[in-house]
Amino acid sequence: MNFTASDGVTLEFASVGEGIPVVFIAGYSGHEYSWSAQTDFLSEHGFRCLHLDKRGHGKNADVISGLRISRQAKDIKEMVELLELESYHIISHSMGCGVAFEYISLFGDHDIKRVTFIDSSPKPINTPDWQLGMYGLTWQTITEANTTLASLSLIKKKINTDLLRKMMRGNQVFKFEQTEPLLLDLLTKDYRDVLKQTTIPILFISGELSPLFPTQLTDYYVQTAKHAKSFLAKGSGHLPYAESPDETNQVLLAFLRENGGSEF
């Protein structure tokens, strides 16, 4: 499936299952198949899983214009309007969380039922008064971030072989240098005010052994947002949805179906 975005480029997207819509937004270098475990599971439990690969990623790897977070959010908005969705969930990971925050900042949260943020900080850069950003990231080191991410192992638990095969479908060499403008745009953002103002239920999932972000973010999200709960994926790194898929899927399903309390 595809549509023509307002700036004239053609974007591919996928729809799997029937029921309540869930818009997935993958992280940097991630794509539709990164969410294979969640797509398989949620599509069998009454949800319609929607995947719009970011520009420069996956099925839209050849689209290299508009490599900024605001344009990615606008693409999501245009997709949901094309599909005439009245309400939907958002599940996001890492850079995808930045796109979700930008979406809420630009378009509000009135059409969103619930939003999930997985292993990401609302402000990636650390400053003297903020130490919950990406490990080692400061204004002085930001230009090194792309090189660091390209060589960093993001997982701490072995991903199931069958799941890994599904995640690697259509895999192609990711062009880190080509997409660097998008990464740099994300890393300079500060969405802490958006988190405070968001009125819908929020779930924050953190990898206990994440090589990118501190687990203290679980407390920050719960204490800062109006309606938030958290889940710490034991032994997982930056990809808890792939490293601990069964556990993560159950947490997601429970959150999508009901809300209450501050943690699982």
Side-chain angles (χ1 to χ4, degrees):
M1 304 172 70
N2 63 63
F3 69 97
T4 301
S6 57
D7 62 348
V9 304
T10 299
L11 297 174
E12 299 286 337
F13 71 97
S15 176
V16 181
E18 298 181 355
I20 301 170
V22 179
V23 177
F24 288 87
I25 314 176
Y28 188 49
S29 79
H31 46 73
E32 169 191 348
Y33 299 121
S34 301
W35 298 106
S36 291
Q38 287 65 51
T39 300
D40 291 348
F41 179 77
L42 292 178
S43 64
E44 294 177 353
H45 285 81
F47 294 92
R48 180 186 184 185
C49 301
L50 296 165
H51 301 277
L52 173 61
D53 287 340
K54 294 183 297 299
R55 297 173 183 226
H57 293 67
K59 294 177 180 177
N60 294 316
D62 292 334
V63 181
I64 57 174
S65 63
L67 290 179
R68 54 189 175 276
I69 299 301
S70 60
R71 182 65 247 189
Q72 314 305 310
K74 184 73 161 59
D75 291 340
I76 295 289
K77 179 65 171 176
E78 292 178 9
M79 181 188 71
V80 300
E81 288 181 342
L82 172 72
L83 297 174
E84 299 181 336
L85 304 182
E86 294 183 358
S87 62
Y88 41 89
H89 297 286
I90 290 179
I91 297 178
S92 59
H93 170 247
S94 199
M95 175 180 280
C97 298
V99 177
F101 274 127
E102 187 78 11
Y103 186 98
I104 294 170
S105 176
L106 292 173
F107 308 114
D109 61 13
H110 52 279
D111 292 334
I112 306 171
K113 289 177 172 289
R114 304 168 193 268
V115 59
T116 299
F117 300 106
I118 302 178
D119 212 52
S120 184
S121 173
K123 182 178 185 289
I125 287 187
N126 296 288
T127 53
D129 62 343
W130 173 256
Q131 294 296 307
L132 294 180
M134 185 183 296
Y135 289 132
L137 183 66
T138 65
W139 287 109
Q140 290 70 40
T141 63
I142 189 171
T143 57
E144 305 167 10
N146 208 17
T147 301
T148 300
L149 289 175
S151 59
L152 184 67
S153 176
L154 299 178
I155 64 172
K156 296 298 181 180
K157 293 172 67 174
K158 182 179 179 181
I159 298 175
N160 175 274
T161 301
D162 290 338
L163 174 57
L164 188 59
R165 287 196 186 100
K166 292 181 179 180
M167 294 174 67
M168 297 295 285
R169 280 177 293 176
N171 193 45
Q172 54 189 278
V173 177
F174 183 68
K175 300 176 182 178
F176 282 92
E177 291 186 7
Q178 180 175 279
T179 55
E180 186 174 33
L182 182 60
L183 175 64
L184 294 178
D185 186 36
L186 168 74
L187 297 181
T188 61
K189 301 294 188 182
D190 183 350
Y191 294 114
R192 290 177 294 178
D193 61 324
V194 181
L195 179 61
K196 290 179 182 179
Q197 296 163 9
T198 300
T199 61
I200 56 175
I202 290 172
L203 168 63
F204 177 68
I205 298 177
S206 174
E208 181 187 27
L209 303 178
S210 173
L212 293 183
F213 298 104
T215 57
Q216 290 91 333
L217 281 165
T218 55
D219 292 332
Y220 178 79
Y221 272 80
V222 170
Q223 294 167 5
T224 303
K226 290 181 172 64
H227 308 287
K229 61 197 320 182
S230 65
F231 172 70
L232 183 64
K234 299 290 187 180
S236 289
H238 185 53
L239 310 179
Y241 61 88
E243 298 172 72
S244 303
D246 294 339
E247 191 175 24
T248 300
N249 284 345
Q250 291 300 328
V251 169
L252 286 171
L253 183 61
F255 175 67
L256 297 178
R257 285 179 169 173
E258 62 181 354
N259 186 57
S262 62
E263 45 180 60
F264 288 92

